[in-house]
Amino acid sequence: MRVGNTIYLDHQATTPTDRRVLEQMMPFFADAFGNPHSADHILGWNAAQAIEAAASNVAALIGADSDEIVFTSGATEANNLALLGLAQSAVNGKRNRILVSATEHKSVLATAREIQRRLGFTVELLPVDVEGALSLKALKDKLSDDVLLVSIALINNEIGTISDITIIHELLTEFGAVFHCDCAQAPGVVDLKMLSEHVDMASLSGHKMYGPKGIGALFVRHSLQDRLHPIIHGGGQQRYLRSGTLPTPLCVGMGAAAEIARSTVAEVTPVLRRRRDRLVNGLGRLRWRTALNGPDLANRHPGNANVRFDGFSASDILAALQPKLAASTGSACTSGIPEPSHVLRAIGLSAAQAEASIRFSVGRQTTDQDIEDAIDLIDRALSKLVSGGMEVAV
Ligand code: PMP
């Protein structure tokens, strides 16, 4: 996939909105524009119906019911609602500990820290192994009946580690702790139809699944809904769990994207895997020393490759590649902040190794030609850096 002359290998930062999705959204901007919460006229009813259909599509993606879906502005808000919402309603209860893995997205980590500061809960980070897999032993050791919530992502956004949520769920059930799973990176790359059986809450993001930006969703299991305190107050539009007029076109877009992700995952996954493997193997054949961070190719997000170019600075490489190739150092959300990725540090990399690492993520429209050209461009960028004396000391 190219945008002008730029090869796009940053699908885990964001995906283009699928044209079929965009088409379904368009009527709801200027034509069927009624307020979906206007209960007194046909324009309102039509918008409400479109939103209900969208919620059903999102629910079908994860095997849930449509009234277990709360639309939000994105996965960041969904994560905030899940963690803060549950903690707010459990203040002064006997469960006063929250466990999160060390490699969670900042929207989980920062929210957990805020809960500790503001509401007095104890937040504990769970360690991961070199592949980013949660230490089940640490989880078992820390679990007891004073744990309110455990938050573990299904797929890590930087190194593509896939969590074993079945085992985690079993462990938590024994202690009655709530399981929240950040699934922002999962639609379209793993089959989610059983998800609702293994988690109590799950966060999704429209723009990571070929839907629009500015929309996301939180799945909240029926039995948990009266334990979740809203974080946005107002007209109570979504069963009082989240107030605010729903953005009909964005909800419709998320629903359409969910439907495509659900129905195409089986055919898309092997294609992503083949292209991603071609990239990693191609880079490995170059004369530069490269290494794959995180799990082996067979056991990670099929489109993710986090590659270390020892002796180089990832930001120098990406700068040298502009404007021809888009990929990222660490996660896009922390890019710009001069600190090594907390995910790469948590799997045991040194700061220098973390700063030498680039995340490439292939998508549905990535071609073999994109991959071959990317390998060639990276080879030339590295040569240029060496001859320009910009190589970093190992
Ligand atoms: N969680 C994960 C795992 C993510 O990758 C992201 C996006 N970087 C988010 C949450 C935040 O999603 P959004 O951009 O929809 O707020």
Short mmCIF file of all heavy atoms in Angstrom, two decimals, residues 12-13 73-77 79 105 107 153 155-157 182-185 204-208 215-216 331-333 359, ligand 1:
data_model
loop_
_atom_site.label_atom_id
_atom_site.label_comp_id
_atom_site.label_asym_id
_atom_site.label_seq_id
_atom_site.Cartn_x
_atom_site.Cartn_y
_atom_site.Cartn_z
N GLN A 12 -0.25 -0.71 12.57
CA GLN A 12 -0.62 -0.81 13.99
C GLN A 12 -0.76 0.57 14.62
O GLN A 12 -1.32 0.71 15.71
CB GLN A 12 0.37 -1.68 14.75
CG GLN A 12 0.14 -3.17 14.44
CD GLN A 12 1.04 -4.04 15.25
OE1 GLN A 12 2.21 -4.23 14.92
NE2 GLN A 12 0.54 -4.58 16.35
N ALA A 13 -0.25 1.60 13.95
CA ALA A 13 -0.49 2.98 14.42
C ALA A 13 -1.89 3.40 14.00
O ALA A 13 -2.67 3.92 14.80
CB ALA A 13 0.55 3.93 13.85
N SER A 73 -15.00 7.31 22.35
CA SER A 73 -14.27 8.05 21.33
C SER A 73 -13.07 7.28 20.79
O SER A 73 -12.40 7.73 19.87
CB SER A 73 -13.80 9.38 21.91
OG SER A 73 -12.96 9.13 23.03
N GLY A 74 -12.78 6.14 21.38
CA GLY A 74 -11.63 5.35 20.95
C GLY A 74 -11.27 4.36 22.04
O GLY A 74 -11.98 4.26 23.06
N ALA A 75 -10.17 3.64 21.82
CA ALA A 75 -9.77 2.66 22.84
C ALA A 75 -9.21 3.36 24.08
O ALA A 75 -9.31 2.82 25.19
CB ALA A 75 -8.74 1.68 22.27
N THR A 76 -8.66 4.55 23.93
CA THR A 76 -8.15 5.27 25.11
C THR A 76 -9.31 5.52 26.07
O THR A 76 -9.20 5.23 27.27
CB THR A 76 -7.51 6.61 24.69
OG1 THR A 76 -6.37 6.33 23.86
CG2 THR A 76 -7.07 7.42 25.90
N GLU A 77 -10.41 6.04 25.55
CA GLU A 77 -11.56 6.30 26.43
C GLU A 77 -12.15 4.99 26.96
O GLU A 77 -12.56 4.91 28.13
CB GLU A 77 -12.64 7.10 25.70
CG GLU A 77 -13.76 7.52 26.65
CD GLU A 77 -15.01 8.04 25.94
OE1 GLU A 77 -14.89 8.72 24.90
OE2 GLU A 77 -16.11 7.75 26.44
N ASN A 79 -10.56 2.26 27.62
CA ASN A 79 -9.69 1.80 28.72
C ASN A 79 -9.93 2.64 29.98
O ASN A 79 -9.95 2.11 31.10
CB ASN A 79 -8.22 1.88 28.30
CG ASN A 79 -7.85 0.79 27.30
OD1 ASN A 79 -8.53 -0.23 27.21
ND2 ASN A 79 -6.78 0.99 26.54
N HIS A 105 -0.63 -0.66 27.05
CA HIS A 105 -0.63 0.64 26.38
C HIS A 105 -0.69 1.74 27.44
O HIS A 105 -1.24 1.53 28.52
CB HIS A 105 -1.86 0.71 25.47
CG HIS A 105 -1.89 1.91 24.59
ND1 HIS A 105 -2.61 3.03 24.89
CD2 HIS A 105 -1.28 2.14 23.40
CE1 HIS A 105 -2.45 3.93 23.93
NE2 HIS A 105 -1.65 3.41 23.01
N SER A 107 -2.54 4.14 27.75
CA SER A 107 -3.89 4.52 28.19
C SER A 107 -4.40 3.61 29.31
O SER A 107 -5.32 3.98 30.03
CB SER A 107 -4.88 4.53 27.02
OG SER A 107 -4.88 3.29 26.35
N ALA A 153 -3.65 -6.81 27.81
CA ALA A 153 -4.03 -6.66 26.40
C ALA A 153 -4.05 -8.02 25.72
O ALA A 153 -3.26 -8.91 26.05
CB ALA A 153 -3.04 -5.74 25.69
N ILE A 155 -3.43 -8.31 22.36
CA ILE A 155 -2.25 -8.27 21.49
C ILE A 155 -1.46 -7.01 21.80
O ILE A 155 -2.02 -5.91 21.82
CB ILE A 155 -2.66 -8.25 20.00
CG1 ILE A 155 -3.47 -9.50 19.65
CG2 ILE A 155 -1.43 -8.14 19.10
CD1 ILE A 155 -3.75 -9.67 18.18
N ASN A 156 -0.17 -7.18 22.02
CA ASN A 156 0.66 -6.02 22.30
C ASN A 156 0.87 -5.19 21.04
O ASN A 156 1.14 -5.72 19.97
CB ASN A 156 2.01 -6.47 22.88
CG ASN A 156 2.87 -5.28 23.22
OD1 ASN A 156 3.63 -4.81 22.38
ND2 ASN A 156 2.72 -4.76 24.42
N ASN A 157 0.77 -3.88 21.19
CA ASN A 157 0.84 -3.00 20.01
C ASN A 157 2.25 -2.80 19.48
O ASN A 157 2.42 -2.34 18.35
CB ASN A 157 0.19 -1.64 20.30
CG ASN A 157 0.75 -0.98 21.53
OD1 ASN A 157 0.78 -1.58 22.60
ND2 ASN A 157 1.21 0.23 21.39
N ASP A 182 -7.59 -5.21 26.73
CA ASP A 182 -7.47 -4.20 25.68
C ASP A 182 -7.27 -4.94 24.36
O ASP A 182 -6.21 -5.54 24.12
CB ASP A 182 -6.27 -3.30 26.02
CG ASP A 182 -6.04 -2.22 24.97
OD1 ASP A 182 -6.65 -2.28 23.88
OD2 ASP A 182 -5.22 -1.32 25.23
N CYS A 183 -8.30 -4.91 23.52
CA CYS A 183 -8.26 -5.68 22.26
C CYS A 183 -8.09 -4.77 21.05
O CYS A 183 -8.43 -5.16 19.92
CB CYS A 183 -9.54 -6.49 22.11
SG CYS A 183 -9.76 -7.69 23.42
N ALA A 184 -7.56 -3.56 21.27
CA ALA A 184 -7.49 -2.58 20.17
C ALA A 184 -6.76 -3.13 18.94
O ALA A 184 -7.10 -2.79 17.82
CB ALA A 184 -6.80 -1.31 20.67
N GLN A 185 -5.75 -3.99 19.17
CA GLN A 185 -4.94 -4.45 18.04
C GLN A 185 -5.44 -5.76 17.43
O GLN A 185 -4.82 -6.29 16.51
CB GLN A 185 -3.48 -4.65 18.50
CG GLN A 185 -2.78 -3.36 18.91
CD GLN A 185 -2.42 -2.50 17.70
OE1 GLN A 185 -2.41 -2.95 16.56
NE2 GLN A 185 -2.09 -1.24 17.95
N LEU A 204 -12.05 -1.67 22.20
CA LEU A 204 -11.81 -1.72 20.75
C LEU A 204 -11.62 -0.31 20.22
O LEU A 204 -12.09 0.66 20.82
CB LEU A 204 -13.02 -2.36 20.04
CG LEU A 204 -13.33 -3.81 20.38
CD1 LEU A 204 -14.71 -4.21 19.87
CD2 LEU A 204 -12.26 -4.75 19.80
N SER A 205 -10.96 -0.21 19.06
CA SER A 205 -10.71 1.10 18.45
C SER A 205 -11.05 1.05 16.97
O SER A 205 -10.57 0.15 16.26
CB SER A 205 -9.23 1.45 18.63
OG SER A 205 -8.91 2.61 17.90
N GLY A 206 -11.86 2.00 16.48
CA GLY A 206 -12.25 2.00 15.07
C GLY A 206 -11.08 2.10 14.11
O GLY A 206 -11.01 1.37 13.11
N HIS A 207 -10.13 2.98 14.43
CA HIS A 207 -9.10 3.27 13.42
C HIS A 207 -7.98 2.25 13.35
O HIS A 207 -7.07 2.37 12.53
CB HIS A 207 -8.54 4.69 13.63
CG HIS A 207 -7.62 4.85 14.80
ND1 HIS A 207 -6.26 4.86 14.65
CD2 HIS A 207 -7.85 5.04 16.12
CE1 HIS A 207 -5.68 5.05 15.84
NE2 HIS A 207 -6.63 5.16 16.74
N LYS A 208 -8.04 1.22 14.21
CA LYS A 208 -7.05 0.14 14.09
C LYS A 208 -7.63 -1.01 13.29
O LYS A 208 -6.99 -2.03 13.10
CB LYS A 208 -6.66 -0.39 15.47
CG LYS A 208 -6.26 0.65 16.47
CD LYS A 208 -4.80 0.98 16.40
CE LYS A 208 -4.45 1.98 17.50
NZ LYS A 208 -3.14 2.54 17.35
N ILE A 215 -13.64 6.93 17.17
CA ILE A 215 -14.70 6.03 17.65
C ILE A 215 -14.04 4.75 18.19
O ILE A 215 -13.03 4.29 17.67
CB ILE A 215 -15.74 5.70 16.55
CG1 ILE A 215 -16.91 4.84 17.05
CG2 ILE A 215 -15.07 5.02 15.35
CD1 ILE A 215 -17.97 5.62 17.74
N GLY A 216 -14.62 4.23 19.23
CA GLY A 216 -14.15 2.97 19.80
C GLY A 216 -15.32 2.36 20.54
O GLY A 216 -16.45 2.85 20.44
N SER A 331 5.74 2.83 20.10
CA SER A 331 4.37 3.00 19.65
C SER A 331 4.17 4.45 19.25
O SER A 331 4.84 5.34 19.79
CB SER A 331 3.40 2.63 20.76
OG SER A 331 3.47 3.58 21.79
N ALA A 332 3.27 4.69 18.30
CA ALA A 332 3.08 6.04 17.79
C ALA A 332 2.71 7.00 18.92
O ALA A 332 3.07 8.16 18.89
CB ALA A 332 1.97 6.04 16.74
N CYS A 333 2.01 6.47 19.92
CA CYS A 333 1.53 7.33 21.00
C CYS A 333 2.67 7.86 21.85
O CYS A 333 2.52 8.86 22.52
CB CYS A 333 0.57 6.55 21.89
SG CYS A 333 -0.66 5.67 20.93
N ARG A 359 9.24 -0.73 14.60
CA ARG A 359 8.06 -1.57 14.39
C ARG A 359 7.55 -1.37 12.97
O ARG A 359 7.24 -0.25 12.57
CB ARG A 359 6.95 -1.20 15.36
CG ARG A 359 5.69 -2.05 15.12
CD ARG A 359 4.51 -1.56 15.92
NE ARG A 359 4.05 -0.24 15.49
CZ ARG A 359 3.07 0.44 16.07
NH1 ARG A 359 2.47 -0.06 17.13
NH2 ARG A 359 2.70 1.62 15.62
N1 PMP B 1 -4.62 0.26 23.23
C1 PMP B 1 -3.77 -0.21 22.31
C2 PMP B 1 -3.20 -1.59 22.47
C3 PMP B 1 -3.42 0.59 21.22
O1 PMP B 1 -2.56 0.12 20.31
C4 PMP B 1 -3.98 1.88 21.10
C5 PMP B 1 -3.60 2.80 19.97
N2 PMP B 1 -2.22 3.06 19.89
C6 PMP B 1 -4.87 2.32 22.08
C7 PMP B 1 -5.18 1.47 23.12
C8 PMP B 1 -5.53 3.67 21.99
O2 PMP B 1 -6.48 3.66 20.98
P1 PMP B 1 -7.17 4.98 20.43
O3 PMP B 1 -6.20 5.57 19.45
O4 PMP B 1 -8.42 4.49 19.76
O5 PMP B 1 -7.46 5.87 21.57
#
